[in-house]
Amino acid sequence: MSIDVVYTAESTASGGGRDGHVRSTDGQIDLDTRPPKEMGGSGEGVNPELLFAAGYAACFLGALRLVAKNEKIAIDDASGITARIGFGKDSDGGFGLTAELIGYLPGLEQKEAEDLMQKAHGVCPYSKATRGNVDVTLLAKV
């Protein structure tokens, strides 16, 4: 696959990884990272799963709006996507992620909302990047 790159984001992690610091080169992100309490940490900072969830939710909503626009379907401004990212041990003895994407799509019929979620999953760059590696569940709420 060839990609004509129009933007590159760059961030650096330092310190202990999950117990350290992340900073983007443009300064928009400048955060301490801490493991969540469920993983033995203080929970007093962000963790990679929170950052991934935020990025995936924003990206997926953009993809959903693009699909809706192309299909001439009006999306209510109150619409949104919640991304839930799970972290745990996988069957290979390593670690893995799960994702649940919940679309809040008021004003649409249930079937129409489900179809939009599926189509957005087909074009969202995060969905493409995780396909075959992360179990993703899609839910549509109208």
Side-chain angles (χ1 to χ4, degrees):
M1 173 193 305
S2 176
I3 297 175
D4 183 18
V5 175
V6 296
Y7 170 74
T8 300
E10 182 178 326
S11 294
T12 300
S14 59
R18 286 188 173 273
D19 197 4
H21 194 84
V22 292
R23 186 176 192 294
S24 61
T25 54
D26 63 6
Q28 294 297 309
I29 296 175
D30 193 356
L31 305 166
D32 289 332
T33 54
R34 300 289 181 265
K37 290 179 182 181
E38 296 85 351
M39 294 170 60
S42 68
E44 306 248 341
V46 299
N47 61 66
E49 292 72 34
L50 284 174
L51 294 168
F52 185 65
Y56 204 164
C59 188
F60 197 90
L61 181 57
L64 187 128
R65 287 190 173 278
L66 175 66
V67 168
K69 178 182 174 186
N70 289 343
E71 297 199 6
K72 300 186 182 356
I73 298 171
I75 298 293
D76 191 288
D77 287 342
S79 296
I81 298 292
T82 296
R84 294 179 177 160
I85 303 300
F87 173 91
K89 289 192 175 188
D90 64 20
S91 59
D92 296 331
F95 297 96
L97 300 174
T98 62
E100 182 178 45
L101 302 174
I102 305 161
Y104 300 95
L105 303 164
L108 298 181
E109 296 294 324
Q110 184 67 35
K111 177 74 169 112
E112 185 176 44
E114 291 169 358
D115 287 347
L116 282 177
M117 291 286 290
Q118 283 294 330
K119 289 175 182 175
H121 190 48
V123 300
C124 173
Y126 275 62
S127 291
K128 287 180 175 183
T130 60
R131 193 161 290 124
N133 299 305
V134 174
D135 289 334
V136 179
T137 301
L138 303 176
L139 299 172
K141 295 186 177 190
V142 294

